[in-house]
């Protein structure tokens, strides 16, 4: 099923929101300073002092006995702020046992009563949005506005879950046969589980467990090991709002935790959002176990610009859609296809993107925050270089952007734009997951639709045009799940 979104003709500009600052750790170091034994010792001391993220099991925050950890860094500073444990097998089993036991009583709680708890939870999230936004900015690097949007989009799901009494209604058919009526009911499955990514620490978990639990299931959550703090804070709010112990439990880990969720027969359904490799593995492994699985994976979203498109709309929309959230979202517009003379807009997009300030999310003037890790930064930079090496024209180079010296240890990539790209290049074929826009020129709308449809990804797309006929044709012929008309998805 496709969703189609329309926007009226309008001028969009990517402006940084005027929101509040947050307090967060920072590191300042001269570029010429060499690491000394004292520096190494200080780093070791900081690592030892970093708090270990707890599990949430049966209504309690439980410390893990794990001996291996994943560091959680503030992406804007590189500072270590916490350590995520790789939970032991016995700890994961304890969490699952708690979910299974809680389900036996939770499924008997009336749907209206479950909805009342969600309604309290909705209010708590609203009241705590600023504090939760600060946590997201600290552990993920989002700008304050993007962090608040992350929470709000998850909050919308919680709002919808409050209407579960009507959504769970069954169906009846009297007189199916002589003296026979038929009735259908909706029953919870049991223990469900979710595996969530780093790029939306609030929204994606809130896509999953509020709906699952309000339907009467219990839920085992494994948040991204790189951004576990937001999930713990949301869990604490839900507990304070009356969610019974064990209905939602949280474990931490990487491959072993994922395989545990896939393999345990007591887990009846699994939801995943993340990259293709992990998603394909999870879908296959869950299917082999006979359990339900929904996996939302990679994307390479295309926008088509026709010659009659409104220039201001195109310039503002594409610069923001490519670079917002530092390009770390599955719905980022990473490819722009310019039909005919519309390629004359590319220099204006470059000019607009070059104005976007790169910096910490706590700065209200920042438009592009850091990427999640040094590894992510290096991967993006490598792909940018591959574009140069393979013959694309680098119009705007976001490698090594200028930032405040107090944040020089952060993971920075600025807006980057290529033109003269081809579909054989790595920058086109790979999901870069950074603030990089790849521009391709074609002659006709037919060419643009064919090029888009040949791409293996089909998450979302957009067309920019003043022609209703062209827009309708694009909507009818494009093969993507979500379609925007004069608005990026």
């Amino acid at each position: 099923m496709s969703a189609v979104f329309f926007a009226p003709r309008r001028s969009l500009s990517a402006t940084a929101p005027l929101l509040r600052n947050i307090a967060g750790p920072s590191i300042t170091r001269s570029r010429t300073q060499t690491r000394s034994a004292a520096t190494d010792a200080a780093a070791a001391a900081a690592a030892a002092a970093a708090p270990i993220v707890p599990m949430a099991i049966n209504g309690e925050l439980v410390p893990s006995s794990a001996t291996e950890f994943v560091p959680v860094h503030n992406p804007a500073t590189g500072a270590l702020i916490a350590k995520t444990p790789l939970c032991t097998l016995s700890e994961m089993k304890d969490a699952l046992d708690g979910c299974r036991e809680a389900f036996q009583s939770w499924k008997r709680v009336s749907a209206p009563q479950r909805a009342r708890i969600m309604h309290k939870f909705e209010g708590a999230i609203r009241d705590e949005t600023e504090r939760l936004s600060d946590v997201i900015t600290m552990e993920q690097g989002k700008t304050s506005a993007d962090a608040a949007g992350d929470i709000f989009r998850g909050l919308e799901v919680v709002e919808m879950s409050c209407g579960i009494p009507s959504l769970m209604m069954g169906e009846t058919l009297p007189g199916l046969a002589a003296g026979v009526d038929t009735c259908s009911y909706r029953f919870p499955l049991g223990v469900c589980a979710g595996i969530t990514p780093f790029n939306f620490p609030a929204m994606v978990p809130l896509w999953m467990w509020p709906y699952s639990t309000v339907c009467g299931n219990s839920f085992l959550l494994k948040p991204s090991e790189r951004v576990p703090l937001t999930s713990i804070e949301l869990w604490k709010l839900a507990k304070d709002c009356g969610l019974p112990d064990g209905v939602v439990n949280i474990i931490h880990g990487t491959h072993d935790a994922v395989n545990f969720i896939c393999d345990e027969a007591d887990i009846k359904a699994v939801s995943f959002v993340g990259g293709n490799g992990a998603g394909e593995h999870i879908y296959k492994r869950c299917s082999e176990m006979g359990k339900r699985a929904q996996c939302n994976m990679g994307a390479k979203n295309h926008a088509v610009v026709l010659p009659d498109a409104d220039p201001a709309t195109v310039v503002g929309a594409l610069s923001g859609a490519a670079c917002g959230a530092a390009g770390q979202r599955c719905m980022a517009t990473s490819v722009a296809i310019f039909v005919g003379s519309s390629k004359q807009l590319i220099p204006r997009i470059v000019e607009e993107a070059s104005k976007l300030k790169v910096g910490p999310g706590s700065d209200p003037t920042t438009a592009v925050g850091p990427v999640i890790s040094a590894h992510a930064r290096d991967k993006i930079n490598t792909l940018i270089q591959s574009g140069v090496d393979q013959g694309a024209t680098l119009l705007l180079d976001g490698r090594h952007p200028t930032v405040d010296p107090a944040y020089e240890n952060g993971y920075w990539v600025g807006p980057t734009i290529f033109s003269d790209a081809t579909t054989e290049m790595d920058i086109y074929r790979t999901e870069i997951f950074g603030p990089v826009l790849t521009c391709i020129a074609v002659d006709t709308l037919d060419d643009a639709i064919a090029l888009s449809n040949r791409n293996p990804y089909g998450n979302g797309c957009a067309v920019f045009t003043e022609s209703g006929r062209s827009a309708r044709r694009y909507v009818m012929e494009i093969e993507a799940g979500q379609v925007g008309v004069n608005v990026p998805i």
Side-chain angles (χ1 to χ4, degrees), residues 11 31 34 44 61 75 84 104-105 116 124 130 156 203-204 216 224 272 333 349 366 382 408-409 424 437 446:
S11 175
R31 294 183 184 276
T34 58
L61 293 176
T84 303
Q104 298 305 317
S105 56
R116 291 186 192 104
E130 184 171 355
E156 289 180 313
M203 181 184 76
V204 177
S224 169
F272 167 81
T333 297
I349 297 170
T366 291
T382 297
E408 64 183 5
N409 291 319
E424 291 75 32
L437 179 65
D446 284 339

Side-chain angles (χ1 to χ4, degrees), residues 316-482:
L318 291 189
S319 59
C323 302
Q328 299 177 120
R329 55 188 178 194
C330 61
M331 298 314 303
T333 297
S334 53
V335 177
I337 304 173
F338 293 86
V339 177
S341 62
S342 69
K343 63 185 177 183
Q344 297 172 2
L345 293 175
I346 295 176
R348 291 183 58 180
I349 297 170
V350 172
E351 180 183 6
E352 182 73 13
S354 69
K355 298 175 184 177
L356 301 177
K357 179 179 177 180
V358 179
S362 55
D363 181 346
T365 66
T366 291
V368 180
V371 296
I372 188 63
S373 66
H375 174 75
R377 176 200 60 204
D378 295 344
K379 176 185 175 183
I380 296 166
N381 287 344
T382 297
L383 283 165
I384 292 172
Q385 185 59 46
S386 78
V388 175
D389 296 341
Q390 293 170 12
T393 301
L394 183 57
L395 301 175
L396 182 62
D397 189 350
R399 292 173 292 183
H400 315 296
T402 301
V403 296
D404 187 302
Y407 297 95
E408 64 183 5
N409 291 319
Y411 314 131
W412 306 107
V413 181
T416 299
I417 298 178
F418 283 99
S419 68
D420 305 314
T422 68
T423 58
E424 291 75 32
M425 295 177 179
D426 291 341
I427 55 172
Y428 175 80
R429 297 170 58 248
T430 305
E431 185 180 23
I432 300 174
F433 229 58
V436 181
L437 179 65
T438 301
C439 299
I440 298 176
V442 299
D443 293 329
T444 67
L445 178 58
D446 284 339
D447 296 333
I449 292 173
L451 189 154
S452 297
N453 286 345
R454 284 196 300 270
N455 191 276
Y457 296 101
N459 201 340
C461 61
V463 63
F464 292 86
T465 179
E466 294 290 284
S467 166
R469 179 178 181 181
S470 296
R472 179 170 176 78
R473 182 179 168 208
Y474 181 85
V475 169
M476 293 295 104
E477 296 185 16
I478 202 70
E479 298 171 2
Q482 301 179 79

Side-chain angles (χ1 to χ4, degrees), residues 102-323:
F103 171 67
Q104 298 305 317
S105 56
W106 179 242
K107 68 180 181 181
R108 294 182 174 86
V109 175
S110 69
Q113 180 58 31
R114 297 195 298 258
R116 291 186 192 104
I117 293 174
M118 282 300 146
H119 188 61
K120 293 179 182 177
F121 184 46
E122 173 202 347
I125 293 174
R126 289 188 186 278
D127 292 343
E128 296 292 330
T129 291
E130 184 171 355
R131 182 179 65 83
L132 292 169
S133 296
D134 292 349
V135 175
I136 291 174
T137 297
M138 180 177 64
E139 71 172 346
Q140 203 277 342
K142 288 177 182 281
T143 64
S144 296
D146 195 16
D150 185 339
I151 295 165
F152 179 74
R153 288 186 288 272
L155 179 63
E156 289 180 313
V157 178
V158 179
E159 288 176 336
M160 287 296 296
S161 73
C162 295
I164 204 65
S166 60
L167 297 174
M168 284 191 69
M169 292 177 66
E171 298 172 338
T172 63
L173 178 60
L176 176 65
V180 177
D181 299 338
T182 181
C183 300
S184 65
Y185 302 94
R186 302 184 191 275
F187 290 99
L189 294 174
V191 181
C192 300
I195 302 166
T196 60
F198 74 83
N199 54 335
F200 286 93
M203 181 184 76
V204 177
L206 291 175
W207 278 355
M208 297 181 184
W209 65 259
Y211 251 123
S212 179
T213 56
V214 81
C215 287
N217 302 289
S218 57
F219 201 87
L220 183 64
L221 175 66
K222 193 210 83 67
S224 169
E225 63 278 6
R226 287 177 280 182
V227 292
L229 303 177
T230 302
S231 284
I232 292 295
E233 292 303 314
L234 288 169
W235 176 90
K236 288 159 65 176
L237 287 182
K239 175 178 169 58
D240 291 343
C241 291
L243 191 70
D245 296 349
V247 171
V248 175
N249 285 341
I250 299 176
I251 60 172
H252 304 291
T254 53
H255 304 89
D256 289 344
V258 168
N259 289 336
F260 173 83
I261 288 172
C262 294
D263 295 345
E264 281 292 327
D266 284 331
I267 296 175
K268 305 301 182 183
V270 176
S271 185
F272 167 81
V273 175
N276 272 32
E280 290 170 0
H281 169 81
I282 291 166
Y283 191 84
K284 179 181 179 181
R285 196 152 178 157
C286 288
S287 297
E288 290 173 348
M289 291 294 297
K291 62 179 65 176
R292 303 183 187 192
Q294 58 177 11
C295 297
N296 299 276
M297 299 182 282
K300 194 73 176 178
N301 304 309
H302 292 47
V304 172
V305 182
L306 298 185
D308 65 350
D310 176 60
T313 298
V314 171
V315 170
L318 291 189
S319 59
C323 302

